[in-house]
Amino acid sequence: TGIRDRACEMLTDETDPSKRDFLEATVISYEAASRFVEKHARVAETLVGDTQDPERNKELRRMVQSCRRIAVGPPDSFHAGLQMMWFTFMYGARGSIGRFDQWMYPLYRKDIDAGTLMQREAQDLLENYFIKLNYIAGNNDSLRNIVLAGQTPTGENAENELTTMCLIAGAKLMLPEPKLNVRFFDGSSRELLELSCRLTYKGL
């Protein structure tokens, strides 16, 4: 919705017909994307009443909450962040995912600190996301690269818990996607180097 709203604001002052066409198309497209997410929330909500399994019921309610959130604004949880990234892929996004452990860590940390998510649950969600990325593997060269570690913009070590979790997920699943790329510099930890070497040794 943020991109849709920004396009709406730009439309108020834009007079160039071709630029207006582009901005109007952007509004229509992102509004449709939001409706698509909301539709998934409604479907998940109907499934809540169809299960007697308390664990599945909890999962479905979390899906509803995550989808409802990103249908109207930015993700506010680790689950919602992963869900938004998957919807983005469904909309046709291809190529590099980017600095995953940097984008997602604030959401992960927020949930862990609030006690709304356990590390084991976060690992399960992460592994499910990795599995989903293999649903449409095609020629096994989709360039779905995830970049881990390296440095922050201020030159500090960018490693965090999510860095290790991604490498553990890769080693456990041994799937073609996503492609894991690790950045090193003089301040990288020995543990990161050893874990990365173990993954390479396994053939990942």
Side-chain angles (χ1 to χ4, degrees):
T1 54
I3 294 175
R4 178 203 63 194
D5 294 347
R6 189 166 57 183
C8 285
E9 290 172 12
M10 293 172 72
L11 269 169
T12 58
D13 298 321
E14 187 56 64
T15 57
D16 184 299
S18 63
K19 290 182 179 179
R20 286 192 62 84
D21 285 347
F22 174 78
L23 291 169
E24 287 169 0
T26 300
V27 172
I28 292 168
S29 298
Y30 278 84
E31 182 61 34
S34 294
R35 290 180 189 171
F36 184 71
V37 174
E38 175 59 34
K39 183 178 180 180
H40 278 73
R42 291 197 304 271
V43 171
E45 198 167 40
T46 63
L47 295 175
V48 170
D50 294 338
T51 179
Q52 303 301 315
D53 181 353
E55 191 61 33
R56 182 59 177 161
N57 192 286
K58 179 183 173 184
E59 290 173 352
L60 287 166
R61 289 184 186 279
R62 185 176 280 173
M63 288 179 209
V64 172
Q65 184 179 12
S66 296
C67 289
R68 286 256 155 82
R69 172 61 191 176
I70 60 177
V72 298
D76 61 350
S77 68
F78 185 65
H79 187 283
L82 289 172
Q83 187 67 69
M84 188 181 75
M85 292 189 75
W86 176 245
F87 276 124
T88 303
F89 175 75
M90 289 176 71
Y91 298 148
R94 296 293 183 269
S96 178
I97 293 167
R99 301 195 70 185
F100 183 87
D101 58 351
Q102 304 304 298
W103 314 145
M104 296 296 294
Y105 184 71
L107 294 172
Y108 166 81
R109 189 74 260 161
K110 173 178 170 287
D111 287 354
I112 294 293
D113 290 346
T116 56
L117 184 71
M118 302 297 288
Q119 196 275 339
R120 177 190 56 78
E121 294 175 306
Q123 186 72 41
D124 286 345
L125 288 170
L126 175 65
E127 290 171 8
N128 272 281
Y129 173 66
F130 277 21
I131 290 168
K132 291 288 283 185
L133 289 175
N134 288 269
Y135 274 33
I136 315 171
N139 63 2
N140 190 26
D141 192 19
S142 65
L143 303 176
R144 280 174 226 149
N145 298 314
I146 281 180
V147 180
L148 302 171
Q151 294 174 271
T152 67
T154 56
E156 298 171 354
N157 190 353
E159 292 173 45
N160 57 49
E161 289 173 61
L162 210 47
T163 310
T164 304
M165 289 168 63
C166 287
L167 293 171
I168 290 171
K172 177 181 176 182
L173 299 172
M174 292 298 290
L175 292 169
E177 303 292 348
K179 306 289 190 293
L180 299 178
N181 302 266
V182 184
R183 288 179 172 175
F184 291 95
F185 74 113
D186 289 344
S188 296
S189 70
R190 182 177 177 84
E191 291 75 20
L192 178 67
L193 178 60
E194 289 179 349
L195 183 55
S196 300
C197 287
R198 282 199 291 272
L199 263 68
T200 302
Y201 177 76
K202 286 188 71 173
L204 190 69

